[in-house]
Amino acid sequence: MLARTFARINKLRWDMEARIVELTVTSVKKQDITLIARYGIEEITAPAGVLAAQLKPGTVNCDLHLPEGKAVRLHLKLGAHKPIGWVAQVAQA
Amino acid sequence: MKRRDFLTKGTLAAGLARSPGLLKPLLASETSPAKSSQTPPQTAKASEEIRSHEFPRRAQGDKFLPKAPAFAESYLSPEVRISPMPLAERLRRGVVPRRGFCSKIPGTTVSEGLTSGNGHMNIEVTCDPYSEQILFHHESLLMPWKRPFEAAKVADIFPQVRQMVMDGRYQEAIEFAFREMDKGPVKVNTWPHPTVPAFMMHLDSPKTASVKDYLRTVDFETSEVKVYWTDEHGNWMRETFASRPDNVVVQLLTAAQGQQIKARIAVEKPAARMRMFGGAGGTSEVQQDYTADRLIYKCRLDPSVDNSGYAGVVRVVRNGGSARMDGDTLVVEDASSVILLTRIEWFAEYSEGKVEALRQAVEQLSPDYDAILERHRKVQSEAFNRVTVDFGGASQYGLSTEELLANQRSRPDYSPALLEKIFQMGRYWFIYTSGKYPTMVAEVNANINLQIAPGPQGDLREGMDAYFNWMESLAPDFRVNAKNIFGMRGTHYSLWPDKGVGVAFHYSTAASTGEIWPHPYWLTAGGWCCRPFWDHYLTTGDVDFLRNRVVPALKELALFYEDFLTVTGKDGNYIFVPSFSPENNPANTSPSAMLVINATMDITVCREVLTNLIAACELLGTDADSVAKWKAMLAKMPPYLMEPDGTLKEWAWPPLKERYSHRHISHLYGAWPGDEIDPDRTPQLALAAMLADRKRVPERLAAHGRCHRALVGARLKDCYMVDTELRQLIEQGYVAATLRCSHDPWAFPMPDAQGGIPTIMMEMLLYSRPGIIEVLPALPPTLVVRSRECWPVPSLGSTN
């Protein structure tokens, strides 16, 4: 499917029992994006040069450099947060 | 529990046994083990019988309990008793398409028919063994409007209407406006003209008392609709599809081994009730020119209006046997097979010469079913397979849609095959309804937007291109709307755009409820209709498209806003007046008072138009002076308001009170399809929007309302809202066994949810905006905690 950030999602695969997500994305142009997984990202595996900075385990977001026209395969180990958890945070703020 | 026990108990409890003949063949499949290499299908496990042996007998021992329910006699003694093909036989024969579905009950009307199409033409096929009905459609058969035809010229009263609304005389204002509009040629309660079906084909053949091994199928990758049955003469099959490369509907009738085709073929005018919006339009003039070799159906749509019309040529190619006319019915006897090749063309200027050219063109086609099919398959499968889903549905291979729907209603999670097939059907439908025009039925504010919704992310580019062309073709009417209704520059889009018609003609009342819908004053259709243009740019990065097609459309909308936004409050912010939030009225006004002030949606869409226009022009390095002006306008947008409990208000005007009991959630446009509300950028607003989504209580069960609530839920990471609405949509009558969707539960087909449900699935799995990709934002809990055997590893993928 196509993403609204000038990119094609070649594959999205998940196994929530193993807490694993695999994402393959091909960008139309060279761009920096933020990858979000609100379960929390415990680990991420990406090709060399794609990760903009070292991941702080458990965070929701991760910055990536996407090259133009080249499929990038990402492997995520998810945490145990709930994506809807933001509601309680905002309500309590 | 053994499967046989589950079928006898669980299926009855779950409502699977819809008719008397259903249960028996299913059980037969159990007594005739499959000899197939296919993976055995799995169904949800029913709960074990844990009542004591004596208890049911004791509970049922009261002689005054109601008698066991019975079927009406007519159900028990149909003219032809049809028994479905058992599952084991489906698997043995391999007749269920991998990407497609099967259904085990024929339709009684074409609304219950299976569908095929090539964009220009589409068909609905009941798949009855002996009394087949095929309704043929062509996308262009709009009953013509009398020209010239333009929106009511009421610009001179606009200042007065505006002032009345500012004064709180809401009902008085719209009643006054409607009286003035009604003085012109476009009268109140003018409804859209229908796009009419081309003709109905009946295929009748000699009946037997009973049929077994009945099955009908659709193959999404070839567009083929097939029907199988067995009677005392043997195994029969009919197959049909619409070819895109050859622009022809092909029907193949094949006799059982050692048998011959005996068929009566009639092509007739469809019943008037088959018009979806049948209130408008004139009287057509039909001519039938039939011979034993071809049937030509000619129609001038409304000669009192113009000379538009169409013709349908049905070429008959027999393999052996004979053919003759019996009145207007073609009688084919003793043929081993028959191919019917049908093409329909619409003519802006009807003439016999054009009909003859059509006849000759159909005559030139080679009547080779397999060759035509192969040419079509390449085109169809490429478009269809650009995006695929795999929820683990292979584990339920072979089950019919009736069985999958029943399975879904009796399990706590999702039927993987049903989810996949509904997603696939949405793509299939989008493709076969996309020709010169895109798929379009009904209104911008509830229907068309959802029908178009899966296009950009789903890479349904041909249909989206048709949409863009269509919208752009209506710009002249949109300009006249702005001028006639408001006295303003720019464009004002209509509620109900149609083929060649962008006139804002529809303004309506309902005497029974007192509702007055002020649609000519609805500001927001334009921004909503342009949203897919923007999404196309975001998904493709096509800068030429941005420059040449997005920016011009947004500029004309901005021009309208420049003229419209002339009233400001004491705080210096604009006041949107008059303003309408489809199709609701505040709790403290009457249903006649929908035209009020500062509808949240109007503010949101205006913000979106200006924001995207500014971003586009800054990227392109153009229109610097205008950008400054648009930024100044943005700075004067009124803030959104909240209720005391933090719920986002539908009207950002303090005196107007919320009315939660409504099917629309127009004020949540900023979450979906707009994109200015999310937990990261606007957390307080996102919470307010979530409360508004949760507090909605639909007073009518419209599919678009459920879709919109789910889509807003997906954007707000509200997996529970997605789960609730998605389950309602797929379990409670919005999806038929034909996998066609309806606006209301258990009603006739209407495709809000046909586009809406696939969009929900994509949005719950992945969210994106420039610079952001979010995985699994709103995965329903039962897709997370899945049963191991049914959910190997769900995945969503696309092929390049």
Side-chain angles (χ1 to χ4, degrees), chain A residues 34-70:
Chain A
T34 300
L35 177 68
I36 296 174
R38 287 179 203 274
Y39 297 93
I41 305 171
E42 297 296 335
E43 299 171 19
I44 184 166
T45 306
V50 168
L51 288 178
Q54 191 170 1
L55 176 76
K56 182 182 175 187
T59 52
V60 160
N61 52 298
C62 175
D63 292 340
L64 307 175
H65 302 304
L66 293 183
E68 178 182 335
K70 185 177 176 185

Side-chain angles (χ1 to χ4, degrees), chain B residues 652-670:
Chain B
W653 193 249
L656 300 176
K657 296 187 183 303
E658 295 305 289
R659 187 161 81 97
Y660 296 111
S661 174
H662 203 269
R663 61 204 176 280
H664 288 256
I665 49 166
S666 308
H667 51 319
L668 304 184
Y669 180 100

Side-chain angles (χ1 to χ4, degrees), chain A residues 1-21 23 25-26 28-29 31-39 66 76 78 82-84 86-87 90-91 93, chain B residues 387 456-457 459 535 537-541 679-680 683-684 686-687 690 715-718 762-763 765 768-777 779 784 786 788 793-800:
Chain A
M1 64 185 271
L2 303 181
R4 289 188 197 83
T5 180
F6 321 108
R8 174 178 289 275
I9 305 301
N10 303 98
K11 190 156 196 170
L12 169 63
R13 181 182 172 93
W14 72 93
D15 181 337
M16 295 308 290
E17 289 181 346
R19 314 301 293 175
I20 287 170
V21 166
L23 177 72
V25 56
T26 303
V28 170
K29 62 180 185 181
Q31 62 174 321
D32 295 336
I33 68 148
T34 300
L35 177 68
I36 296 174
R38 287 179 203 274
Y39 297 93
L66 293 183
L76 281 68
L78 299 180
K82 291 182 177 178
I84 201 173
W86 69 270
V87 172
V90 174
Chain B
V387 176
Q457 286 166 282
D459 199 1
D535 285 337
Y537 162 65
L538 295 185
T539 50
T540 62
D680 300 319
Q684 294 293 343
L687 183 58
M690 170 179 266
R715 287 290 176 85
L716 298 176
K717 329 304 173 190
D718 186 351
M762 289 190 284
E763 289 282 351
L765 296 176
S768 56
R769 69 171 187 266
I772 296 286
I773 293 176
E774 178 176 351
V775 295
L776 308 179
L779 195 65
V784 179
R786 62 194 184 276
R788 194 179 301 274
V793 180
S795 66
L796 170 75
S798 67
T799 54
N800 289 317

Side-chain angles (χ1 to χ4, degrees), chain B residues 598-655:
Chain B
N598 273 5
T600 295
M601 177 185 218
D602 281 345
I603 300 168
T604 304
V605 172
C606 180
R607 283 180 45 79
E608 177 177 281
V609 166
L610 296 176
T611 303
N612 292 344
L613 183 56
I614 290 166
C617 290
E618 288 185 337
L619 177 81
L620 297 169
T622 62
D623 301 280
D625 291 346
S626 294
V627 165
K629 179 175 58 182
W630 297 325
K631 285 184 174 177
M633 291 173 68
L634 265 183
K636 292 174 68 174
M637 290 293 141
Y640 300 124
L641 297 184
M642 292 189 294
E643 288 283 270
D645 68 352
T647 303
L648 182 66
K649 280 178 68 65
E650 189 164 359
W651 298 274
W653 193 249

Side-chain angles (χ1 to χ4, degrees), chain B residues 667-679:
Chain B
H667 51 319
L668 304 184
Y669 180 100
W672 190 95
D675 191 14
E676 68 169 14
I677 302 176
D678 78 88

Side-chain angles (χ1 to χ4, degrees), chain B residues 694-706:
Chain B
R694 286 290 185 97
K695 287 177 74 173
R696 214 57 167 184
V697 183
E699 90 294 11
R700 296 178 205 166
L701 300 175
H704 64 76
R706 295 200 179 284

Side-chain angles (χ1 to χ4, degrees), chain B residues 535-758:
Chain B
D535 285 337
H536 180 80
Y537 162 65
L538 295 185
T539 50
T540 62
D542 185 342
V543 175
D544 287 338
F545 183 85
L546 180 71
R547 179 184 296 108
N548 299 323
R549 306 187 73 172
V550 180
V551 167
L554 295 182
K555 274 186 176 177
E556 292 212 79
L557 289 172
L559 200 57
F560 176 83
Y561 284 122
E562 283 178 37
D563 286 358
F564 181 82
L565 293 173
T566 56
V567 180
T568 53
K570 291 177 183 173
D571 57 3
N573 289 328
Y574 291 128
I575 299 175
F576 283 73
V577 56
S579 185
F580 166 51
S581 188
E583 297 175 350
N584 201 2
N585 62 279
N588 56 335
T589 71
S590 80
S592 307
M594 296 187 192
L595 191 65
V596 291
I597 300 171
N598 273 5
T600 295
M601 177 185 218
D602 281 345
I603 300 168
T604 304
V605 172
C606 180
R607 283 180 45 79
E608 177 177 281
V609 166
L610 296 176
T611 303
N612 292 344
L613 183 56
I614 290 166
C617 290
E618 288 185 337
L619 177 81
L620 297 169
T622 62
D623 301 280
D625 291 346
S626 294
V627 165
K629 179 175 58 182
W630 297 325
K631 285 184 174 177
M633 291 173 68
L634 265 183
K636 292 174 68 174
M637 290 293 141
Y640 300 124
L641 297 184
M642 292 189 294
E643 288 283 270
D645 68 352
T647 303
L648 182 66
K649 280 178 68 65
E650 189 164 359
W651 298 274
W653 193 249
L656 300 176
K657 296 187 183 303
E658 295 305 289
R659 187 161 81 97
Y660 296 111
S661 174
H662 203 269
R663 61 204 176 280
H664 288 256
I665 49 166
S666 308
H667 51 319
L668 304 184
Y669 180 100
W672 190 95
D675 191 14
E676 68 169 14
I677 302 176
D678 78 88
D680 300 319
R681 293 173 297 171
T682 55
Q684 294 293 343
L685 186 54
L687 183 58
M690 170 179 266
L691 285 170
D693 201 22
R694 286 290 185 97
K695 287 177 74 173
R696 214 57 167 184
V697 183
E699 90 294 11
R700 296 178 205 166
L701 300 175
H704 64 76
R706 295 200 179 284
C707 290
H708 281 137
R709 292 181 79 203
L711 287 161
V712 167
R715 287 290 176 85
L716 298 176
K717 329 304 173 190
D718 186 351
C719 61
Y720 304 111
M721 175 60 79
V722 171
D723 188 42
T724 300
E725 296 298 346
L726 184 57
R727 285 194 70 115
Q728 287 288 312
L729 284 163
I730 68 175
E731 293 177 5
Q732 292 302 114
Y734 297 94
V735 180
T738 57
L739 296 186
R740 298 166 73 185
C741 294
S742 56
H743 179 273
D744 299 295
W746 315 106
F748 62 88
M750 173 83 172
D752 316 0
Q754 208 83 66
I757 297 176

